[in-house]
Amino acid sequence: MLKMEEGDWDLIMNVHLKGAFMTAKAAWPHMRKNGYGRIINTSSGSGLYGNFGQGNYGAAKLGLVGMTRALAQEGQSVNVLSNAIAPTSITRMTEDILPQDLHNIMTVEKIVPLVVYLTHPSCDINGKIFEVGGGWITEVRSERSAGAIFSGEMTAEQVAERFSEVEDF
């Protein structure tokens, strides 16, 4: 964040988040009119979990998760379903990062079958987030702890004293 310029932030937001928004917005009226549509947004592990030095990219990619869930709710009644994938594979961006022995396993071809399934007319999965890579597919979800209820006046000291309740899953 320290070295990031505002232009760097804007560029990544425009490419990843606004680009997906503009694409969905252009397709949306046609999908609604036809009573069918499938949107697959591409998130990232950087968005789901964070990654050092990638605050702009992570924010854009997690923003796609929020947009996917909103579109899933807006489109469900007219059979326009939206899901997101967070793929990991060997690409130009990752070929120097991932170990060489993974290059034959982490192929794009092991991402495509999930996307084909999610976009098939018989698939009714909606509003879900999936990590996919190397033949492994998993659904990702948010989880909320039981939390703590504070009645009456609430102070930072009380929050600190009961913070283990806030974090208790």
Side-chain angles (χ1 to χ4, degrees):
M1 191 60 71
L2 182 63
K3 296 179 183 178
M4 188 179 303
E5 300 289 331
E6 187 175 349
D8 298 330
W9 179 271
D10 292 343
L11 175 65
I12 295 300
M13 289 296 159
N14 284 337
V15 168
H16 296 283
L17 191 53
K18 189 173 183 181
F21 161 73
M22 296 302 291
T23 302
K25 184 158 180 65
W28 197 260
H30 304 286
M31 292 187 290
R32 282 184 56 90
K33 179 181 171 192
N34 292 326
Y36 173 82
R38 300 293 187 264
I39 294 174
I40 307 297
N41 284 313
T42 304
S43 186
S44 166
S46 294
L48 299 176
Y49 309 113
N51 195 13
F52 185 87
Q54 293 189 324
N56 53 354
Y57 184 73
K61 291 302 189 174
L62 190 57
L64 286 169
V65 169
M67 187 173 89
T68 296
R69 290 185 170 145
L71 293 176
Q73 292 175 20
E74 291 179 32
Q76 186 158 2
S77 66
V78 290
N79 196 30
V80 177
L81 309 182
S82 300
N83 293 287
I85 63 169
T88 301
S89 67
I90 298 298
T91 66
R92 287 181 308 193
M93 287 176 50
T94 62
E95 65 187 354
D96 295 333
I97 298 169
L98 294 173
Q100 188 66 40
D101 58 332
L102 293 180
H103 283 220
N104 290 332
I105 299 167
M106 304 301 285
T107 64
V108 173
E109 290 79 10
K110 294 196 176 180
I111 310 288
V112 172
L114 173 61
V115 175
V116 170
Y117 172 65
L118 291 172
T119 57
H120 194 272
S122 68
C123 182
D124 63 357
I125 295 170
N126 190 31
K128 305 286 183 160
I129 314 306
F130 300 94
E131 280 187 270
V132 56
W136 176 68
I137 302 170
T138 187
E139 182 180 346
V140 177
R141 65 181 185 197
S142 299
E143 186 178 7
R144 182 186 343 204
S145 71
I149 296 173
F150 298 84
S151 44
E153 189 177 325
M154 186 173 145
T155 66
E157 291 79 14
Q158 290 171 324
V159 171
E161 186 177 293
R162 296 183 56 202
F163 209 73
S164 63
E165 293 175 61
V166 172
E167 296 180 306
D168 186 14
F169 284 90

